[in-house]
Amino acid sequence: MTQLIVKNGFVYDPLNRIDGEKMDLAINDGKIVGKVDEKKAKVIDASGMIVMPGGVDIHCHIAGAEVNTGRLLRPEDHFRDVEAKTAITRSGVGYSIPSTFTTGYRYARMGYTTIMNPSMPPLEARHTHEELNDTPMVDKASYPLLGDWWFVLEDLRDGMIKECAAHVAWIMVATKGYAIKIVNPGGLEAWGFGQNVRNIDDTVPRFNITPKEIIRGLCKVNKLLHMPHTIHVHTNNLGKAGNYATALDTMKCVENLASDDKPVIHITHCQFSAYKGSNWRTLRSGAEEIAKYVNHHRHVTLDLGQVVFTDTTTMTADGPFQYGLYQLTGNKWVNHDVETETSSGIVPFRYRRKSYVHATQWSIGLELGLLVEDPWRIYLTTDHPNAAPFITYPRIISWLMSRNARDITMKRINKRARHKSLLPSIEREYSFYEIAIVTRAGQAKSLSLTQKGHLGIGADADIAIYNINPELVDPSRKYKAVRKAFENSAYTIKNGEIVAKDGKIVKSVRGKTFWVNPQLSSPIEVADDMKRRFREYWTVEYENYSIPESFLAASAPISVKAEV
Amino acid sequence: MPVVSHVTCPVCGSFCDDIEVIVKNNVITDVRNACAVGAAKFLDYANHRNAKPLVRKNGELVEASWDEAVRKSAEILIDATYPLLYGWSSTSCEAIRVGLELAEEVGGVIDNTSTICHGPSILSIQDVGIASCTLGQLRHRADLIFYWGCNPWSAHPRHVERYTTFSNGRFQKSTWRAHVSRLGGILSKKRLRRAINLVLGRDVFATPEISRELPYNMFQKKRKMVVVDVRKTHSAEAADYFLQVEPNKDYELLQAFRMLIADEELDVDHVAGVPVETLNEIADVMIGCKLGVIFFGLGLTMTEGKIRNIDAAISLVRDLNQRTKFLIMPMRGHFNVAGANVVFTWQTGYPFAVDFSQGYPQYNPGETSVIDILCREEADAGLVIASDPVAHFPKKAAQNLVKNPLIVIDPQTTPTSLMADVVFPSTFVGIETEGTAYRMDHVPLPLKKIVEPPSNCLSDVEILQRILHEVRRIRSKRK
Ligand code: SF4
Ligand SMILES: [Zn+2]
């Protein structure tokens, strides 16, 4: 196995409190080690460059039924963005919904090495994993959608938390999932008959349970199972004016489930849930209120869902939301309801600078990023591809790091949005250290991926080296240089091997798939109970639902000891 | 006797996964739960097998070694400037993945059977989208089911009982019992007859006509089934309502429904041969249902209007969603044609008709689709897998396909394999080889291995991988 030394770089490793220190990293057998034989090792000269752990993305839709239908829906998205085959890489297409190989290569070029695919319909999990098997370069995992699953609704309605935990554990293993994903809880079940829920205290039709009870119940289940991540929540009323109140209610409703200082809920793509006002015309930012709450409560983490002005494709499990978006835009619309479990929808979308609403959305994301004080609890995402494709991250990094960059964009957005934006009043500019937190360290911590997001001894040797000198470049003024540096890493090292260099893929590697294997006290009983009800719930057999571990090209199970 | 349970049926797009297969000494002796078509596949698959690799020499197909057949195939593909790789809908996703890699490697065009069945549906989806679901959603909730231009009774025999009208769901009970009593047991007799026919191996679908008064109690509170077709099929006989549309007039009928849904009046007496009175009634039922669905088949995609028909059907469903919940789904034929689209799409961005000649995926159906390429006589070699284009393509396309060097991978002898230059005897996926396939609603399920394949057959995956490796080996040597 190759030995590597990364020499003389400015290292940003926040989990080990290393802030731009000039130091060397030794790599052996895919891991960071204390020392290697200098004569045998290959040396990478990183002088004048930034060295960070490989990027970690906590929420981006890169694989599975919904993503793939998005690809199918949008040939026009691909025509102008193609990647030809090389001796090392497969061909593919972009733009907002790249083909699987291209997705892996593009992340690797940006120095990202671990990707979380946040929206897996359990019944179609096999599809997700087939695509992940074809997504090279990165380690990955998926979150099964469980907030509207009939077993969850029934168990929680009947107050059977332990049974619910057992069922959730079963489906984690059956689908090879990593975290509990909740999307518009109760709303997706209602959408089965074209309905929705209005707030977290509304009753889910036909099930006599409220979204609040679902969120709280699954939060308790999450704790019982000792899941590595918190519940991962896409709030009710997403994308609607006035929904910041729903977001606050959602965070508040699990406040008393938090003990010690640990987060118990992650509100994903929070920008989409931070709107004041009563309709699109009166839309205003709710970022201040949300940031204030988060600054005072340690049980919440967020990711941004930052909008970038471009043509993209929206796709969520939130069927009713997507239908609303279709009605709003008149664009083409895909709906896909999944029996017993969830729904989904897709609508192409263009964010325009001159639109009041879109410009306000853009501002809200950055306001959240800048007003939430603790970078360990807010992460950089675009909810790829919902608010923008992931290749726009470097641009967002430059906005976070530079007031100038923000001002320049500000000048070109809708006037009314500009006047209402809170951004001009915000001085804050991120440091490279903080960027390292919101793009890798914080996300790895939130996911409890202990080998990721840092460069301490024993960590996976997933490393990104960016060609920018923090001693010479002031990111506030030279934001374009920052952007450029983060667009194409000088080196991306995956598992101890150089896989990308100066924006070119030099080696194709597979990457593992993580999944959580909760150890229950009596797993057999669960299976019997599931088996009995299986044919009533689904149109497939129990035996054909579960995905065997061998189906994953590189399976990386994480065992957790459950309290049930 | 060993019973293999929960087997998926590698025949039609219903892709039933509850089949039980009885195996004795590596021979399938009985099949339970399958329909006649499915059962026939399991029981008769072993006939007309390709036994050995064949290579054409001096005009004759003669037995050859695997190495020779693989080398010959690789040479054919390398020497071609624009080879076609066609079929894919009746093999596993695992094989399709390798096929795509091979097509990319040789800079060819890869296309699947959608190109001659639901291609227009896909183009229409790319135009306007689609509101759809998995089949269980309909089992649990649908109270109004349309079969438009398709005949599930013969093409997807268990579709109705497993997923729609006769299935039992959480919010919708089966109308099976009511139906049986209503028809005075005719239907159960039909089923009995089917079973008898199956055993005797006679024509299973020769059932007697049922004469019924129409329109039929449409306002009863229960699941309703509507069949729209140009002729009275067996499915039509089982329906609550049958609309006999004049040939090639589906578009008019769909547009009429759209107008009625929008509360407009029609000032004619008939549309497409159907009385407007009837249309009014049905439109009301559509608006009044809790969840409706339209299944559509080749009667809509391959008749005059094609894309326009599907656009109208999808638009009708979109309109209906302003009044109630309504969904639509193409009735996919082959058990893995949906999977072919799925794998093509995740690797290349496009569901069929993908051209790699520029080194990256290009897609322009009408130009990069296999029939069009053949009709323009642009291809100079072909690889056909698990498909029989000679029997199904238009004459000119078929002629041009066999004119060029042709490689066929198939478990059975077909008109296409008889015309080939290289023939690979493959195993039956879903019987002799495992894999993955996608049901018509895109639910992925495992294909099982039930019996050992004949010793001289290889799986599609292995055959394609061998060819791919050989192509790379020869290329690196020539460089
Ligand atoms: S309906 Fe189709 S899949 Fe089901 S048993 Fe019959 S042929 Fe097989
Ligand atoms: Zn998302």
Side-chain angles (χ1 to χ4, degrees), chain B residues 20-97:
Chain B
E20 292 180 359
V21 182
I22 292 89
V23 183
K24 202 175 162 188
N25 300 329
N26 205 40
V27 174
I28 296 175
T29 56
D30 200 2
V31 182
R32 296 182 197 140
N33 294 345
C35 71
V37 189
K41 169 85 177 192
F42 283 107
L43 293 170
D44 300 340
Y45 76 96
N47 299 336
H48 312 292
R49 282 308 278 271
N50 284 325
K52 283 245 168 80
L54 306 174
V55 171
R56 191 171 295 275
K57 284 177 188 157
N58 306 320
E60 293 271 326
L61 275 175
V62 293
E63 284 185 8
S65 70
W66 276 96
D67 284 348
E68 187 186 355
V70 167
R71 195 179 331 114
K72 176 93 182 131
S73 303
E75 281 166 1
I76 289 175
L77 292 171
I78 290 174
D79 292 339
T81 53
Y82 202 48
L84 290 177
L85 294 85
Y86 175 77
W88 310 108
S89 306
S90 296
T91 186
S92 67
C93 294
E94 287 78 358
I96 300 166
R97 289 177 63 210

Side-chain angles (χ1 to χ4, degrees), chain B residues 9 11-16 19 33-35 37-38 155-159:
Chain B
C9 171
V11 178
C12 87
S14 295
F15 203 30
C16 308
I19 314 297
N33 294 345
C35 71
V37 189
H156 301 80
R158 293 182 71 209
H159 197 268

